[in-house]
Amino acid sequence: MGGQSSKPQQRVLIAVDGSSHSQNAFDWYRTNLATPGEDVILFHTGSLPNYLMAPTGISASNSDVQRANESLRKRVAQLEESMMEQCKRHSMQCRWKYADSLSPGPAVVDASAEEKADLVVMGTRGLGTIRRTILGSVSEFVISHSRRPVVVVPPPPQQ
């Protein structure tokens, strides 16, 4: 028919953690893929350190837990403020989503499914094969387990 068909609004989840790698992924998306009107979800996951959460034989004091919780809350709030300011500066429609989780890979996969994301964008540290095997890779987990397309943005070439 002669009418213009409009492309449905795309929903993109960008994993952010305050690192240069996640900033690089955000910048790459903004420069290469972003279009006006997209629903951009800035997703961050974090939690208190394991030793404060799980029984280890050494119990953390309530004040230690409170201090750690306040520190986490401040870091998350600062990251949210910084990322939302970048969205505003670049006229992007962004919203913030946070999940309390010790496992960032599954948290990203779950959030992308909950949000019905059309695309997941994330950075990578560019670890070598041995370090990646020992340490694991969040991006590899997301690629392997997500039912959504995933763009993994490598670190910029070193100069």
Side-chain angles (χ1 to χ4, degrees):
M1 323 264 348
Q4 253 187 337
S5 110
S6 65
K7 182 180 172 188
Q9 180 183 13
Q10 182 149 297
R11 183 170 291 153
V12 179
L13 185 134
I14 304 175
V16 296
D17 65 6
S19 70
S20 61
H21 308 291
S22 74
Q23 182 65 52
N24 184 48
F26 175 84
D27 292 340
W28 181 88
Y29 167 78
R30 180 181 52 77
T31 303
N32 295 288
L33 292 181
T35 59
E38 284 182 329
D39 180 18
V40 177
I41 302 129
L42 302 172
F43 178 70
H44 179 67
T45 183
S47 71
L48 294 177
N50 253 347
Y51 67 89
L52 293 175
M53 302 282 293
T56 60
I58 302 170
S59 58
S61 70
N62 284 341
S63 63
D64 286 342
V65 173
Q66 284 180 318
R67 274 194 305 274
N69 205 11
E70 182 62 21
S71 176
L72 174 64
R73 189 193 66 70
K74 283 181 181 176
R75 282 193 319 270
V76 170
Q78 288 170 344
L79 179 60
E80 177 182 7
E81 181 180 337
S82 169
M83 295 306 300
M84 294 303 286
E85 176 57 37
Q86 288 183 61
C87 289
K88 184 177 177 183
R89 188 172 48 241
H90 297 291
S91 302
M92 294 171 62
Q93 295 177 0
C94 299
R95 57 190 169 96
W96 182 258
K97 183 176 180 77
Y98 174 78
D100 185 27
S101 174
L102 289 169
S103 303
V108 171
V109 170
D110 291 347
S112 66
E114 288 168 15
E115 293 289 342
K116 296 179 176 61
D118 297 302
L119 179 68
V120 176
V121 178
M122 60 191 310
T124 183
R125 294 176 293 178
L127 298 176
T129 305
I130 293 173
R131 286 187 66 200
R132 187 174 55 245
T133 301
I134 294 169
L135 298 175
S137 168
V138 174
S139 56
E140 284 188 8
F141 182 92
V142 174
I143 289 168
S144 297
H145 294 87
S146 180
R147 296 297 172 242
R148 312 284 179 202
V150 179
V151 173
V152 177
V153 180
Q158 297 197 337
Q159 298 167 355

